[in-house]
Amino acid sequence: MAQRMAGKRVALAGPRKADEMALLVAKMGGEPVLRPAQGTVFLDDIELRNAVVSWVKQPPDWNIFTTGMGLDALFDMAEDMGVAEQIMELLHSSKIAARGYKTVNELKKRGFTPDVRDEDGSLTGLTRAFAPYDLKGKEVLLQLHGDPAPRLVKWLDEQGAVTRQVLPYKHIPPEEANLQALLADVLNRKVDAVTFTSGPQIRFLCQYAREQNRMDDLLEAFRQDVIAVSVGKVTAQSMLEEGIERIVFPVEERMGAMMVELGKYFEHSASAHGFGLEVVNGH
């Protein structure tokens, strides 16, 4: 693999598959630095069980899944409760919508192809894909992905849908020491890039920076010396909302593609002093 990251230190803010990402950085000649900026915790069994019971007793017209991880959690609970076959049957007799390729892949493993799916990994893209369908009066089961989605819920309300929300897991901040270390690395320019794989990682870092009265300094570091890297368009949008504008992200929302894109960025930067763009997406 080309040594596109030779001499570069890359902080990895995503805890999931961090070892695999570190190996990719090392193979491209870089030095990976593990700086988890997010923790994930599943909700208690009682809440998940109640969601599955409601799912079986009141089968919805539409099932909207937003993450593969959340889908797995629901199916695991259904199997534990002995109602997995009933869930499969009701999915066959209702409509399915999915956000993100991981969710689509998890559905395909179980023999399902979504009737509606986004084109860009975003919830906004998902709502656009619903254009041919009338949701007025339809019962909708909405599986969220670690955070509330008020805009999506509001959109469903505006369409006249009756929405039930299921939150199989939620995001929690990492240990404060991890945020402290990541913030220090960026402010002191000890890393050349930071990779983010979800919006909560951005929010937790920026929230901590604000608490330390260093948000302006953080934005300046990302503006001048440290490149912010996103796994895809959705996470990049979270960066823009926080004021981070110099971003590298791949067209295809995959962790491996993110690292390849970062390698290309470093290679171009070395030869052309950067792309000269505020937001770079592989073109």
Side-chain angles (χ1 to χ4, degrees):
M1 187 175 287
Q3 299 291 290
R4 289 171 165 169
M5 294 190 188
K8 303 296 184 181
R9 298 185 84 233
V10 180
L12 308 176
R16 187 166 170 268
K17 294 188 177 180
D19 291 341
E20 295 177 33
M21 294 303 100
L23 184 59
L24 278 177
V25 171
K27 283 183 175 179
M28 285 190 274
E31 180 185 348
V33 182
L34 302 183
R35 292 286 185 262
Q38 167 192 345
T40 298
V41 60
F42 283 94
L43 299 185
D44 61 83
D45 284 354
I46 294 177
E47 186 158 345
L48 264 179
R49 285 178 182 274
N50 289 340
V52 172
V53 169
S54 173
W55 201 4
V56 172
K57 286 187 174 181
Q58 295 177 285
D61 300 295
W62 278 92
N63 304 274
I64 302 179
F65 302 107
T66 62
T67 62
M69 185 185 294
L71 180 62
D72 280 343
L74 284 169
F75 267 97
D76 286 346
M77 179 56 71
E79 288 173 5
D80 183 62
M81 295 169 64
V83 296
E85 289 188 10
Q86 290 174 260
I87 294 295
M88 295 287 282
E89 289 175 4
L90 72 84
L91 284 175
H92 277 297
S93 61
S94 59
K95 297 287 189 180
I96 299 175
R99 182 207 69 89
Y101 76 93
K102 294 178 184 176
T103 311
V104 172
N105 288 344
E106 289 301 324
L107 284 166
K108 285 182 176 179
K109 288 178 184 178
R110 294 174 170 86
F112 298 101
T113 299
D115 300 277
V116 168
R117 64 162 299 181
D118 63 279
E119 294 182 351
D120 58 6
S122 71
L123 292 177
T124 300
L126 185 62
T127 60
R128 286 197 300 267
F130 266 105
Y133 297 93
D134 182 6
L135 295 177
K136 187 174 182 179
K138 300 296 184 182
E139 292 274 345
V140 175
L141 178 82
L142 172 61
Q143 174 259 310
L144 296 172
H145 56 291
D147 281 322
R151 290 182 183 177
L152 177 57
V153 173
K154 181 181 178 182
W155 182 85
L156 288 168
D157 288 344
E158 290 171 349
Q159 306 312 303
V162 180
T163 307
R164 277 179 277 155
Q165 299 180 51
V166 179
L167 190 68
Y169 62 95
K170 63 181 178 180
H171 297 300
I172 60 171
E175 295 287 336
E176 183 176 339
N178 292 335
L179 289 174
Q180 183 179 36
L182 177 56
L183 181 62
D185 280 347
V186 176
L187 295 183
N188 295 321
R189 279 61 168 180
K190 290 185 177 180
V191 293
D192 299 284
V194 183
T195 64
F196 297 94
T197 58
S198 75
Q201 295 160 19
I202 310 293
R203 292 195 293 274
F204 290 141
L205 174 61
C206 291
Q207 179 181 341
Y208 181 74
R210 290 188 185 92
E211 291 170 356
Q212 306 304 311
N213 295 316
R214 301 301 301 272
M215 187 60 186
D216 289 343
D217 297 330
L218 178 67
L219 292 178
E220 180 66 16
F222 278 128
R223 188 159 45 241
Q224 297 293 334
D225 304 300
V226 182
I227 188 67
V229 190
S230 168
V231 72
K233 184 177 180 179
V234 178
T235 302
Q237 183 60 42
S238 295
M239 295 182 185
L240 291 171
E241 290 172 359
E242 291 287 0
I244 301 170
E245 298 179 341
R246 200 169 64 105
I247 307 166
V248 165
F249 64 93
V251 173
E252 187 176 17
E253 188 178 345
R254 294 178 184 270
M255 293 185 188
M258 172 180 68
M259 290 305 180
V260 170
E261 201 63 45
L262 177 58
K264 290 179 182 178
Y265 171 82
F266 283 142
E267 188 174 52
H268 280 268
S269 296
S271 61
H273 305 291
F275 290 124
L277 298 174
E278 290 184 344
V279 179
V280 181
N281 67 354
H283 293 289

